[in-house]
């Protein structure tokens, strides 16, 4: 599945409706990141291009709303849930533009893995040279 994340349910609903009008089945769910719309892997290239363009337009619209709210004195944050090595969970608050940049480059699983690796090393720092580290095991 290809997943698209939104910080507002209305944008998620608009994206899902567009996917359906293009003939794609999709699922919607909310999680600790926001609102996720998932479509099947490997849609037709033209449909995928149209959906990507629509997603980018919705992201810009969402960013404009956030910026307008900030100008009015409201502050918005996005967040990623982080599982600490001892099993506790914590929320990492981020500015929405930083969260959007992360989501543009990494999948949700990759972001969670990255944050877990940082947490593990922050809570149990090793004074070891990088040449002695095993990158696959963090």
């Amino acid at each position: 599945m290809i997943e698209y994340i939104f910080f507002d349910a209305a944008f998620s609903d608009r994206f899902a409706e567009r996917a359906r009008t293009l003939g794609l089945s999709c699922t919607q769910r909310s999680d600790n990141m926001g609102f996720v719309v998932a479509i099947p892997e490997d849609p037709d290239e033209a449909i995928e291009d149209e959906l990507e363009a629509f997603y980018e337009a919705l992201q810009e619209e969402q960013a404009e709303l956030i910026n307008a709210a900030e100008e009015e004195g409201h502050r918005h944050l996005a967040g990623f849930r982080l599982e600490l090595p001892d099993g506790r969970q914590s929320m990492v608050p981020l500015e929405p533009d930083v969260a959007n940049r992360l989501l543009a480059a990494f999948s949700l699983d990759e972001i969670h893995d990255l944050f877990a690796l940082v947490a593990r090393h922050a809570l149990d720092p090793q004074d070891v040279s990088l040449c002695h580290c095993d990158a696959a095991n963090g």
Side-chain angles (χ1 to χ4, degrees), residues 12-69:
S12 170
D13 291 343
R14 287 173 55 194
F15 185 83
E17 181 61 30
R18 176 64 64 94
R20 288 183 187 105
T21 61
L22 293 172
L24 296 173
S25 63
C26 66
T27 60
Q28 291 179 267
R29 71 178 194 283
S30 61
D31 66 14
N32 60 2
M33 292 286 304
F35 303 92
V36 178
V37 178
I39 64 168
E41 294 276 339
D42 301 324
D44 177 76
E45 189 174 330
I47 290 174
E48 185 175 15
D49 289 345
E50 184 174 336
L51 254 169
E52 286 292 328
F54 188 64
Y55 180 70
E56 288 178 23
L58 288 175
Q59 292 298 319
E60 288 176 21
E61 188 177 337
Q62 190 168 238
E64 288 172 7
L65 286 175
I66 290 169
N67 289 337

Side-chain angles (χ1 to χ4, degrees), residues 80-134:
F80 293 93
R81 185 143 312 274
L82 165 68
E83 186 167 335
L84 299 170
D86 65 3
R88 290 181 298 146
Q89 291 198 358
S90 180
M91 180 66 73
V92 178
L94 296 172
E95 294 292 331
D97 63 321
V98 174
N100 283 331
R101 291 193 343 242
L102 275 172
L103 289 166
F106 300 102
S107 71
L108 289 175
D109 288 337
E110 290 171 325
I111 293 169
H112 289 159
D113 291 346
L114 173 64
F115 282 17
L117 179 64
V118 170
R120 188 169 73 236
H121 284 278
L123 294 172
D124 185 19
Q126 303 292 317
D127 190 18
V128 178
S129 170
L130 283 179
C131 62
H132 293 109
C133 289
D134 179 8

